[in-house]
Amino acid sequence: MRTSKSIIQESLNDFSEYVNSTDFSKAILLGIALTIPILVGLKLDVLPIGITITIGAMLASPSDVSGSIRHKITGILFAALLAMLISFIGGYLHISLWLLFPILGLMMFGISYLSIYGFRASLISFSGLLALVLSFSNVSTAMPPYERALLIGAGGLWYAGLSLLRHFIFPKAPTEYYLSKTLRLTAEYLQIRGKLVASKDRAELLKKLLNTQTELTTIHETLRDILISSRAGSGKSDYQGKRMLIFVQLVDMLELAMTNPVNYSKTDALFKKKPGQLEDFQGLLFAMSDRLITLSTHLSKPKKLQKSTAIDTFLKKVRADVFTSEKIFDEDLLMLRNLYKYQKEQVKKIEKIEWLLSNPDRRQIPFIKSEDAKRFLTKQNYDFEILRENFNLRSPIFKHSLRLATMTMIGYGVGMLFEVQNPYWILLTLIVIMRPTFGLTKKRSKERTIGTLIGGVLAVGIVLITQSTTVYGILAITSLVIAFSMIQRNYKAAATFITLSVVFIYALMRPDVFSVIQYRVTDTLIGAGLATLGNLLLWPAWEIHSMQSTLVETVKANRIYLEEIIGFYNKKGSVPNSYKVARKKAFLEMSDLSTAFQRMTQEPKSKQKNLDKVYETAMLNHTFLSSLASLSTYILNNPTTPASDNFNAVSSRIVENLMEAEALLSGKTSLRANTEIRNSEEVFDANFSKDIELSKTDSMQKPDDLVLKLEEAHLIREQLKWLLAMSEKMPKVLKETQF
């Protein structure tokens, strides 16, 4: 049970992490970008110009997300360019009411469809959608459309300049933040693994473990972009090189943390007999977790890092547990010794991170070549062919764009029909809430509505307390900064502060602030309701429809990773880059599968088709990847004997099973006849005997050499048997699943 002291400390850590986050620094930057043009406009008596430049800065800001500075600035400039173009066209939309609706629909569809090119493109697309919606407002309508468009472009350049300035002043900030966050999440992952070892009911912990792994994989991608792209653009840097090596250790740590020598049923049976060993293994995991948290807090100030003996103490205890017995051949001991080896490798990774932070002589540091590192970047394809290939109802983005276009036309029609004060607020709610999937839209609708209601109540209370315009101005800017810093963290809180900001901005311009609050809440409710109905009724994109393609990519990535492991075990030598790329791809695809399944659980019960079978397949793939990580880690970090014919025969069978699963998911004909299907136990026993058998040559070896050979034989056998059983089960489950 947590004490009040630990709760306070945790809250302080969360607040510190929030203040140091890139979201908060971006929000401060945006606050400066929005405030200065208005203040200058007031000073020079050209407020409309200042407001329009502010709008331009706001429209360019969504593309300012974490990544390399080159990608960031390119995104900001493209967003500013699109905002200029849309604002210019939007200035002429009010000529004819009959033409307004079809043109609005076509533009909404076209701009939204640009998000087919990935995450950053979706942010640029959002800037265009926001520019179109704001062209319906009465802000800066007195000036000609071309002048307004140019000033919006100037606002975009103003924001890009500020973003560059922030980068030059704090060039290390994004790297330090995401590296620190990776250390904390890796620590959390180890802690969950420690709890799993002793848990009776693992369902909730496994779910938490998978969510943490997904978050880690996402941050790994962000760090790759920051570290690798910045090195390629600015040349060799000792700082970037060392941070890259720390990142590599953390990637390896995730793979090591996933490893489990055998399935939990065997460890449960073993630790039940020897609970003291369980406590020691668990204590070691918790000690490593604590050390990683300490490293995360001292990442920028390593000189203040104090030595700790906790890890060494537990490591010695674990070693004593597994090496005190005189027995050479004991399956329980072999399993524990392999588990000890994994934890020892994990400790080495932590020691390597500490060494890199201790400012070692650069001649001792094995820097990674930029050419090798570039292979690990995920490149986005921007070919025009992608637009054409997805121009059909099978594409979720196409359906989303069509749905958004239809609902914005309906939303604006509703606003005009009922003569609401600001019909564009309905459009604004729609473009912010509507997402390609029902689950995300429903969640955002709920959070937006609750946040708006809370913001409305708080605004009423503040207006009743004071009518000071100075207070309103301070609260408007402060609320806006907090809102933008919370969008990615807590959308409900962000919606609350956005409402407060909008209300106080209007309160500065109009006396009837209560009617502003009333209309704000009404328009949000209309927009949220239309967004939910649109996703429910118009070309719905239920997750089960795309689950097949997600699963096939996951199974394929696992198969390619397995083939790389088999190849390396046969050839030995240095680890090829293709091996590491395959590992990265397997982790990314597993992350995508986990995210897709989470979206599926948010959909209506009637649409959660075969949820239990999909969950079973997802967990099979996750366990399969964990087993691959165990196999991979062992053969990378230990001298191994030549791969046997039995190993190759069984591993080939596993590959065949995965290819069979891929064929079933792709709708292709079965790759094998029913007569060839055999039980995994039969296949395994046909190649390996039920127990490890020692030859006369083996028994004559030195005890230490014999132990190493037995450890290898035990782990390879157990993992192959486990992988074979899961690979046999996968096609069977898929045959029972209706997509």
Side-chain angles (χ1 to χ4, degrees):
M1 192 170 179
R2 293 190 303 167
T3 62
S4 57
K5 185 178 179 181
S6 66
I7 293 171
I8 292 169
Q9 186 60 48
E10 190 176 315
S11 300
L12 288 171
N13 290 340
D14 289 342
F15 180 73
S16 175
E17 194 267 339
Y18 164 66
V19 171
N20 292 320
S21 70
T22 53
D23 291 330
F24 186 77
S25 64
K26 178 193 167 183
I28 295 292
L29 184 78
L30 186 59
I32 294 169
L34 302 185
T35 306
I36 290 178
I38 291 175
L39 292 176
V40 172
L42 280 169
K43 184 74 175 176
L44 301 178
D45 200 24
V46 285
L47 185 58
I49 292 176
I51 291 173
T52 311
I53 291 173
T54 291
I55 290 171
M58 185 178 69
L59 291 173
S61 66
S63 296
D64 184 9
V65 290
S66 298
S68 70
I69 188 64
R70 181 167 58 87
H71 291 161
K72 190 182 293 188
I73 296 301
T74 302
I76 291 170
L77 293 177
F78 268 109
L81 184 63
L82 182 63
M84 277 180 66
L85 179 63
I86 299 302
S87 298
F88 178 73
I89 297 170
Y92 296 100
L93 282 181
H94 306 278
I95 296 172
S96 168
L97 186 62
W98 295 106
L99 287 174
L100 173 63
F101 283 91
I103 293 174
L104 172 63
L106 284 170
M107 290 185 70
M108 279 285 178
F109 174 83
I111 299 166
S112 179
Y113 192 52
L114 292 174
S115 59
I116 201 74
Y117 285 119
F119 177 63
R120 201 173 289 275
S122 70
L123 298 174
I124 295 170
S125 167
F126 179 74
S127 294
L129 293 172
L130 192 57
L132 181 58
V133 169
L134 290 179
S135 67
F136 285 82
S137 69
N138 56 4
V139 179
S140 307
T141 50
M143 62 180 66
Y146 75 88
E147 188 177 324
R148 185 171 184 268
L150 288 172
L151 287 172
I152 283 174
L157 291 173
W158 157 243
Y159 186 84
L162 283 178
S163 189
L164 268 174
L165 183 63
R166 177 183 61 168
H167 174 72
F168 289 129
I169 296 173
F170 307 107
K172 299 177 182 178
T175 304
E176 294 297 283
Y177 170 70
Y178 281 105
L179 209 50
S180 177
K181 191 168 184 178
T182 305
L183 282 161
R184 285 196 306 276
L185 281 172
T186 306
E188 185 180 335
Y189 195 91
L190 288 175
Q191 194 172 62
I192 298 168
R193 290 289 293 194
K195 291 175 182 177
L196 271 168
V197 174
S199 178
K200 301 286 185 185
D201 183 13
R202 294 190 169 98
E204 198 59 38
L205 281 172
L206 283 170
K207 183 180 176 183
K208 191 176 179 182
L209 189 79
L210 202 53
N211 289 338
T212 306
Q213 183 181 319
T214 301
E215 192 175 353
L216 261 173
T217 306
T218 304
I219 292 177
H220 284 176
E221 277 294 274
T222 303
L223 266 173
R224 280 189 189 96
D225 190 25
I226 293 172
L227 290 167
I228 299 172
S229 297
S230 61
R231 287 184 79 205
S234 60
K236 200 169 184 178
S237 159
D238 283 1
Y239 168 79
Q240 293 289 348
K242 283 190 281 189
R243 288 311 191 250
M244 184 70 189
L245 286 169
I246 292 173
F247 169 63
V248 169
Q249 304 308 310
L250 289 168
V251 171
D252 289 343
M253 283 192 75
L254 175 59
E255 183 181 44
L256 273 165
M258 286 184 71
T259 57
N260 194 30
V262 287
N263 52 325
Y264 281 116
S265 60
K266 291 199 173 185
T267 52
D268 287 344
L270 175 60
F271 286 135
K272 191 175 182 181
K273 291 184 282 184
K274 299 177 179 179
Q277 291 179 345
L278 167 63
E279 290 175 9
D280 291 341
F281 271 106
Q282 199 175 36
L284 178 58
L285 283 166
F286 291 156
M288 289 191 288
S289 174
D290 291 341
R291 191 58 179 169
L292 286 175
I293 291 171
T294 304
L295 288 173
S296 74
T297 56
H298 293 84
L299 189 65
S300 301
K301 301 170 184 175
K303 289 182 179 179
K304 294 184 178 181
L305 190 65
Q306 295 180 348
K307 291 284 183 183
S308 172
T309 59
I311 292 176
D312 286 338
T313 302
F314 278 107
L315 195 62
K316 286 175 183 176
K317 284 183 179 181
V318 172
R319 193 183 191 287
D321 290 337
V322 300
F323 285 101
T324 51
S325 174
E326 294 181 359
K327 290 182 181 179
I328 292 178
F329 183 71
D330 182 288
E331 285 218 24
D332 289 347
L333 273 177
L334 290 173
M335 184 177 68
L336 286 177
R337 283 170 182 170
N338 280 323
L339 186 56
Y340 164 76
K341 283 190 173 184
Y342 287 132
Q343 306 312 323
K344 191 177 178 182
E345 285 301 321
Q346 203 75 286
V347 172
K348 285 180 183 177
K349 300 294 178 188
I350 296 173
E351 289 173 349
K352 182 75 174 287
I353 292 171
E354 293 196 41
W355 176 72
L356 287 165
L357 290 174
S358 67
N359 196 27
D361 188 337
R362 76 177 313 275
R363 289 171 295 183
Q364 298 177 305
I365 304 172
F367 288 112
I368 299 169
K369 294 180 181 178
S370 295
E371 296 75 24
D372 294 334
K374 284 179 188 176
R375 293 194 62 186
F376 295 92
L377 284 175
T378 304
K379 295 181 180 178
Q380 179 65 50
N381 186 358
Y382 292 105
D383 288 347
F384 180 79
E385 189 67 17
I386 292 175
L387 291 174
R388 191 187 66 79
E389 287 175 358
N390 286 274
F391 201 80
N392 55 70
L393 286 171
R394 293 189 302 275
S395 167
I397 298 297
F398 178 86
K399 288 197 284 188
H400 168 66
S401 303
L402 204 57
R403 195 184 304 124
L404 182 63
T406 304
M407 295 316 295
T408 47
M409 288 190 288
I410 293 172
Y412 196 70
V414 168
M416 293 187 68
L417 182 66
F418 292 98
E419 297 182 348
V420 299
Q421 190 181 54
N422 294 300
Y424 75 92
W425 276 358
I426 297 174
L427 302 187
L428 189 61
T429 302
L430 281 167
I431 67 167
V432 168
I433 288 177
M434 284 194 84
R435 289 292 178 268
T437 58
F438 176 81
L440 288 175
T441 300
K442 180 184 174 183
K443 185 182 177 185
R444 281 223 159 187
S445 294
K446 183 180 177 182
E447 291 177 345
R448 177 82 177 198
T449 302
I450 293 171
T452 301
L453 290 172
I454 294 171
V457 170
L458 289 173
V460 168
I462 293 168
V463 169
L464 289 173
I465 292 170
T466 179
Q467 283 76 47
S468 169
T469 54
T470 304
V471 172
Y472 291 167
I474 293 169
L475 287 175
I477 295 299
T478 305
S479 298
L480 196 63
V481 170
I482 296 172
F484 279 112
S485 70
M486 296 296 289
I487 283 176
Q488 300 298 327
R489 292 167 169 267
N490 188 328
Y491 187 71
K492 191 189 297 180
T496 300
F497 285 104
I498 286 172
T499 300
L500 285 170
S501 180
V502 169
V503 168
F504 291 130
I505 287 170
Y506 271 88
L508 291 171
M509 299 185 289
R510 335 168 39 126
D512 56 338
V513 66
F514 288 111
S515 66
V516 172
I517 296 170
Q518 175 191 333
Y519 281 114
R520 174 72 181 171
V521 172
T522 303
D523 293 344
T524 297
L525 290 173
I526 293 171
L530 288 173
T532 305
L533 281 173
N535 272 68
L536 188 63
L537 303 175
L538 300 178
W539 311 285
W542 306 118
E543 201 60 47
I544 192 67
H545 297 156
S546 57
M547 188 58 76
Q548 266 180 286
S549 60
T550 306
L551 278 169
V552 77
E553 288 301 319
T554 306
V555 175
K556 182 181 176 182
N558 279 341
R559 174 177 59 79
I560 293 171
Y561 183 26
L562 172 60
E563 288 172 341
E564 288 289 340
I565 292 171
I566 295 167
F568 179 77
Y569 190 53
N570 276 274
K571 295 175 184 175
K572 316 298 183 189
S574 59
V575 183
N577 279 332
S578 59
Y579 183 104
K580 297 174 183 177
V581 172
R583 178 181 67 173
K584 172 204 154 187
K585 180 71 173 172
F587 276 75
L588 283 175
E589 293 300 339
M590 191 62 237
S591 174
D592 288 345
L593 176 58
S594 175
T595 305
F597 181 77
Q598 289 299 319
R599 290 197 299 264
M600 192 175 175
T601 59
Q602 295 169 349
E603 294 177 346
K605 295 289 183 183
S606 60
K607 303 301 176 183
Q608 294 177 6
K609 197 176 178 182
N610 289 297
L611 184 67
D612 55 337
K613 293 294 180 186
V614 173
Y615 176 74
E616 188 176 359
T617 309
M619 289 312 298
L620 273 173
N621 275 281
H622 178 257
T623 311
F624 193 91
L625 182 58
S626 295
S627 195
L628 286 181
S630 299
L631 196 59
S632 165
T633 302
Y634 186 86
I635 66 173
L636 284 181
N637 296 292
N638 294 278
T640 55
T641 58
S644 67
D645 292 337
N646 293 330
F647 170 85
N648 287 323
V650 174
S651 57
S652 295
R653 178 70 183 195
I654 298 169
V655 171
E656 285 176 18
N657 291 335
L658 294 182
M659 291 178 74
E660 174 73 3
E662 288 177 57
L664 288 168
L665 286 164
S666 303
K668 298 175 184 176
T669 54
S670 179
L671 298 177
R672 64 163 76 106
N674 289 331
T675 53
E676 293 181 21
I677 297 174
R678 295 162 64 193
N679 184 277
S680 61
E681 290 280 348
E682 294 175 10
V683 174
F684 189 82
D685 291 343
N687 291 278
F688 289 95
S689 57
K690 291 188 177 181
D691 300 304
I692 298 174
E693 295 178 351
L694 296 177
S695 66
K696 288 183 179 179
T697 309
D698 290 330
S699 58
M700 292 171 66
Q701 288 183 335
K702 293 178 182 178
D704 288 346
D705 293 338
L706 182 56
V707 167
L708 288 174
K709 190 168 184 179
L710 286 170
E711 285 175 357
E712 179 188 351
H714 176 265
L715 185 129
I716 298 297
R717 281 170 51 87
E718 289 293 329
Q719 293 301 343
L720 277 184
K721 192 173 184 178
W722 189 227
L723 288 167
L724 180 62
M726 287 186 287
S727 70
E728 292 279 2
K729 191 175 181 180
M730 219 175 288
K732 292 176 184 177
V733 175
L734 290 172
K735 284 176 182 177
E736 298 169 2
T737 311
Q738 295 179 351
F739 291 99

